[in-house]
Amino acid sequence: MALFRRIFSGSSMILQSQFSSIRLNSTLTSPKLFVSGLSRYTSDENLKKAFEQFGSLTEAKVITDRATGRSKGFGFVSYETIEEADKAREGMNAKFLDGWVIFVDPAKPSMPRPPPPPPQDPMNFGITTNKTVGWTGR
């Protein structure tokens, strides 16, 4: 019995493993999915094309580095209903996209960032003095 079944679809190779169901234990509570393992060359459009076969997409976004503009290797896909998102998760988890195996998990809600710390001393402008001026070491 083969552990893997390979299907060639267009330019993307799809791989299904008997172990791909391990990541499907958690249930969906929102129609937003987290997609990890993306190639640095995967664009928003490629991500959309890969996932639109499972339902009506509202968003397909690859997260990029602000400085370089390159993909960080993950993204998010949102559907109109939870049922469509569940079909996409089952259909695309542990599959090849642009030559890389991707993993699809439920997206976690973003945590609010803590407020910045207040300034220490309003009279200190970042200038410090050296208390050992004049010390000769004798």
Side-chain angles (χ1 to χ4, degrees):
M1 179 164 98
L3 288 177
F4 299 101
R5 182 183 65 167
R6 293 185 184 180
I7 302 170
F8 293 93
S9 167
S11 64
S12 301
M13 185 171 76
I14 299 175
L15 172 83
Q16 181 166 353
S17 164
Q18 67 185 20
F19 305 110
S20 64
S21 63
I22 293 171
R23 294 179 69 108
L24 296 175
N25 291 338
S26 56
T27 58
L28 287 175
T29 56
S30 80
K32 191 168 187 175
L33 299 173
F34 173 73
V35 184
S36 61
L38 294 175
S39 165
R40 290 193 180 256
Y41 303 107
T42 301
S43 64
D44 291 347
E45 189 62 33
N46 288 353
L47 190 63
K48 182 179 180 180
K49 285 179 185 177
F51 280 85
E52 66 187 357
Q53 62 184 328
F54 298 102
S56 180
L57 281 174
T58 58
E59 178 189 31
K61 180 73 177 157
V62 175
I63 305 302
T64 56
D65 184 83
R66 289 182 192 163
T68 63
R70 294 177 66 184
S71 168
K72 287 189 168 188
F74 66 93
F76 295 93
V77 177
S78 297
Y79 286 92
E80 289 187 5
T81 66
I82 292 176
E83 292 78 22
E84 291 172 337
D86 196 37
K87 283 193 312 186
R89 187 172 136 205
E90 290 174 6
M92 289 299 290
N93 191 40
K95 299 291 192 305
F96 272 98
L97 177 63
D98 293 334
W100 288 57
V101 177
I102 63 168
F103 295 100
V104 183
D105 295 308
K108 296 177 184 172
S110 60
M111 301 297 292
R113 292 184 179 176
Q120 295 290 337
D121 182 8
M123 297 304 291
N124 184 359
F125 299 106
I127 301 171
T128 59
T129 58
N130 187 349
K131 305 283 187 201
T132 61
V133 173
W135 182 67
T136 61
R138 292 186 190 195

